[in-house]
Amino acid sequence: SQVVVHKGSPRGVHFRRAGPREKVYFKPDEVRACVVTCGGLCPGINTVIREIVCGLNYMYGVDDILGIVGGYRGFYSKNTVKLTPKVVNDIHKRGGTSLLTSRGGHDTIKIVDSIQDRGINQVYIIGGDGTQKGAALIHEEVEKRGMKVAVAGIPKTIDNDIAVIDKSFGFDTAVEEAQRAINAAHVEVECVENGVGVVKLMGRYSGFIAMHATLASRDVDCCLIPESPFYLEGQGGLFQFIESRMKENGHVVIVIAEGAGQEFVAQSIHDVNQKDASGNRLLLDVGLWLSHKIKVWSTSFISFIVPCDDIDPTYMIRAIPSNASDNIYCTLLAQSAVHGAMAGYTGFTVGPVNGKHAYIPIARVTETQNTVRLTDRMWARLLSSTNQPSFLNSCDDILLQQERVDRDTVDMIHKMKITST
């Protein structure tokens, strides 16, 4: 979205600002709200749960709030728990989700039947891309039945790949924790002769955590992400870079996002695309594959490799409580959702757009995924910081295989190559 709009330019897309409204649709004593968490873990989920409950109770006097246990299937296969400010008072200090979670299990008819049978009229759904698509289906079914139910989504993804919003909660905490793994790998390889450390970070389709953790740590020699193809052998390849950096520093640290290089691993083990219960592609272990490839290639001069199975912080990062900035952010998201639902809005999700918290139709945030743009300044800053190769020297076929890279990008990269030689 454009931040600056010039006179005569199109109006662009606008969303309603989040916050309290003059008129409230629901009477507090008529509200029966529920909160559900779905999908993978992420720092800050418990903070969002806590602030939804406290927001409803403290700001609007709502007492009847249910926690749906175990994700979407909890609507029709699990008991609920009553949530009060006292019950949720300390949950933000713990990682994970106090309501438990699951992948899959979305059955729109059964879920809406349960909402109807229980007399629920506000539904707060915390989850990622697949979860929000499920929330949109619930909203549609509720509308079809003419039920007066507000459906509010709070977007959750540790990868920061939800479209439209500036940033997803838990991301800052993830980047901060990822640095600990990078530091551990750096200490290991710095203490031996010719050591290589491979650190695999989260990033199924987008490399935001890997990119930001690399920029923040200053100890990384090369960052590999799904959006930027790379190759191992030949001029300008990863092996050549490792060799030159090894001669320079005596050690190398490589950060790789879990979704990077999947095509290489698939070729080597002839794997077919499989998906988990949430519909996400099941990833092959690119970190172990890269460690093995480096080991085979470098038997002559590399003495020590810290493979990613030694430094795999994925679950350590997902399971920790959120840090200060994410705690504040989670509070704002939860309060925005509560204000919107109480005002009678439905089928919306909340989040900051160009720095301003807004109400966004759920369909807007599920129609595409946010990815690192290789032509944006942040990736250019990373390349400058690490001085790593762009892996674009072999041939333009690598670029043209990417659906995300258009003709203008290719021309721009050519110019960058010309100026860098």
Side-chain angles (χ1 to χ4, degrees):
S1 301
Q2 283 184 297
V3 181
V4 178
V5 179
H6 298 284
K7 188 178 180 182
S9 65
R11 284 193 75 236
V13 178
H14 293 72
F15 302 114
R16 289 185 183 274
R17 282 289 296 273
R21 296 300 193 261
E22 187 179 352
K23 292 182 180 178
V24 176
Y25 180 83
F26 291 98
K27 293 178 181 176
D29 57 352
E30 293 176 357
V31 172
R32 170 163 257 214
C34 75
V35 185
V36 65
T37 59
C38 309
L41 297 182
C42 175
I45 297 176
N46 278 336
T47 306
V48 175
I49 296 169
R50 182 189 190 278
E51 295 309 319
I52 288 172
V53 173
C54 292
L56 281 166
N57 188 266
Y58 296 159
M59 294 189 293
Y60 291 98
V62 173
D63 291 318
D64 195 356
I65 309 165
L66 300 175
I68 306 296
V69 178
Y72 274 138
R73 58 172 52 91
F75 275 102
Y76 53 84
S77 65
K78 300 272 186 183
N79 290 326
T80 60
V81 295
K82 185 168 175 59
L83 299 177
T84 65
K86 188 174 181 181
V87 168
V88 300
N89 186 49
D90 287 330
I91 63 172
H92 64 290
K93 297 174 184 176
R94 303 193 296 271
T97 165
S98 61
L99 293 178
L100 310 185
T101 186
S102 64
R103 293 192 181 278
H106 182 92
D107 186 320
T108 307
I109 303 301
K110 282 185 179 179
I111 290 169
V112 177
D113 283 347
S114 175
I115 290 168
Q116 203 163 16
D117 293 344
R118 295 177 192 273
I120 293 166
N121 53 17
Q122 287 186 14
V123 184
Y124 296 91
I125 301 171
I126 305 165
D129 183 62
T131 302
Q132 297 305 317
K133 285 177 182 173
L137 293 173
I138 292 169
H139 165 63
E140 287 169 16
E141 181 63 23
V142 160
E143 269 199 327
K144 197 188 295 181
R145 298 189 190 188
M147 297 162 60
K148 304 297 183 185
V149 176
V151 179
I154 294 93
K156 166 204 69 71
T157 168
I158 203 167
D159 292 347
N160 196 36
D161 60 358
I162 287 184
V164 183
I165 64 172
D166 299 345
K167 186 177 65 176
S168 53
F169 76 80
F171 177 70
D172 281 353
T173 307
V175 170
E176 192 174 299
E177 190 67 18
Q179 286 181 85
R180 303 182 202 279
I182 293 170
N183 183 56
H186 185 248
V187 169
E188 286 274 6
V189 299
E190 205 176 25
C191 293
V192 296
E193 189 179 0
N194 293 341
V196 176
V198 177
V199 182
K200 184 183 70 177
L201 296 177
M202 288 91 78
R204 189 182 295 274
Y205 302 108
S206 46
F208 287 106
I209 289 177
M211 179 174 70
H212 283 257
T214 295
L215 272 169
S217 80
R218 310 289 168 187
D219 288 330
V220 178
D221 294 286
C222 187
C223 176
L224 305 171
I225 61 173
E227 297 88 339
S228 180
F230 66 93
Y231 55 98
L232 300 178
E233 299 172 359
Q235 184 70 23
L238 182 62
F239 288 162
Q240 186 188 62
F241 172 72
I242 292 172
E243 193 169 356
S244 65
R245 191 56 64 93
M246 192 70 72
K247 288 173 184 173
E248 203 178 310
N249 296 337
H251 61 268
V252 172
V253 175
I254 298 168
V255 163
I256 185 163
E258 60 184 340
Q262 287 293 311
E263 65 280 6
F264 295 135
V265 196
Q267 285 169 14
S268 64
I269 65 172
H270 309 292
D271 193 85
V272 293
N273 282 334
Q274 296 180 27
K275 296 191 174 180
D276 64 15
S278 295
N280 298 313
R281 186 167 51 124
L282 283 174
L283 298 177
L284 306 165
D285 198 327
V286 71
L288 282 176
W289 169 84
L290 183 60
S291 300
H292 174 71
K293 284 290 183 183
I294 294 171
K295 198 177 292 183
V296 170
W297 162 75
S298 65
T299 48
S300 56
F301 70 94
I302 289 180
S303 62
F304 183 76
I305 290 187
V306 182
C308 78
D309 56 338
D310 289 349
I311 309 287
D312 185 357
T314 304
Y315 293 99
M316 181 173 70
I317 291 171
R318 283 156 49 109
I320 62 171
S322 54
N323 66 9
S325 66
D326 268 326
N327 265 329
I328 294 168
Y329 181 31
C330 289
T331 303
L332 299 184
L333 290 173
Q335 289 186 359
S336 293
V338 167
H339 289 312
M342 287 300 295
Y345 294 133
T346 184
F348 69 91
T349 189
V350 292
V353 181
N354 293 330
K356 309 293 184 185
H357 280 256
Y359 296 130
I360 308 156
I362 292 175
R364 280 277 178 179
V365 299
T366 59
E367 60 192 7
T368 185
Q369 279 184 311
N370 197 21
T371 55
V372 173
R373 290 171 59 91
L374 302 185
T375 53
D376 275 1
R377 290 182 180 181
M378 195 57 82
W379 184 247
R381 287 168 183 143
L382 180 138
L383 295 178
S384 299
S385 176
T386 60
N387 200 27
Q388 69 187 61
S390 58
F391 301 109
L392 303 175
N393 297 330
S394 61
C395 64
D396 287 338
D397 290 343
I398 294 173
L399 284 177
L400 297 172
Q401 285 169 8
Q402 294 184 97
E403 291 180 357
R404 299 188 191 94
V405 181
D406 55 21
R407 189 67 247 169
D408 293 337
T409 307
V410 176
D411 293 338
M412 181 174 157
I413 289 163
H414 275 304
K415 289 174 188 172
M416 288 169 65
K417 284 198 285 185
I418 291 165
T419 55
S420 64
T421 54

